[in-house]
Each structure stands twice: as C-alpha cells, then as structure tokens.
Amino acid sequence: MGYLAPIQAAVTETTPWETKLAGAIEEVFGGGRHDLPGLVDGLNELGIPAPGGGHWTAEGFTTAIAELAAAGKQED
C-alpha cells in the first residue's frame, strides 16, 4: 500500500488539465530535472500550457501550484 492515494484529500474532481500537468511534472522529474528552472523548461518543452495559455515561468508555476493547493483544501 502506498502512502498517498492520488486524490485522497481532494474535494473536487481532477480536471483533464490537472491530470495532464501532473503527468508532465512526473515526466520532467523522471528525466532528471529536479529544480524549478528545469521543471519550468520541461513543461514548456512538452507544450503544457500555463493557466490562461502561454509559457510557464517560475513565478507562474509557483502561483498556479499554490492556487491548486488552496482550491483542493477541505472546508473545516
């Protein structure tokens, strides 16, 4: 048994974009890139659009991930 179920804390369904982003992040990490600049470059190389379209930046990535995390928190 794994430590985490993929959506154990989610309060909403994962969108197709979120699923694609998660797969792309795994692919970039699997290719040996483990820092933010490498991750951002990898997402851009894979053609994964940033929210609203366009290219990823380090600031845009950290903002998007923070927003996804905040949206997925359960209400107390």
Side-chain angles (χ1 to χ4, degrees):
M1 176 166 76
Y3 289 104
L4 298 174
I7 58 169
Q8 73 184 33
V11 294
T12 60
E13 292 293 319
T14 304
T15 67
W17 178 82
E18 291 168 344
T19 301
K20 190 172 184 176
L21 177 61
I25 291 170
E26 288 183 7
E27 185 174 339
V28 173
F29 284 164
R33 297 182 196 189
H34 300 111
D35 61 356
L36 183 56
L39 176 58
V40 168
D41 288 345
L43 293 174
N44 287 325
E45 290 167 9
L46 291 171
I48 306 300
H55 288 76
W56 288 99
T57 63
E59 182 179 346
F61 180 82
T62 56
T63 299
I65 293 301
E67 289 172 355
L68 288 171
K73 289 184 181 176
Q74 292 182 337
E75 299 283 327
D76 289 328

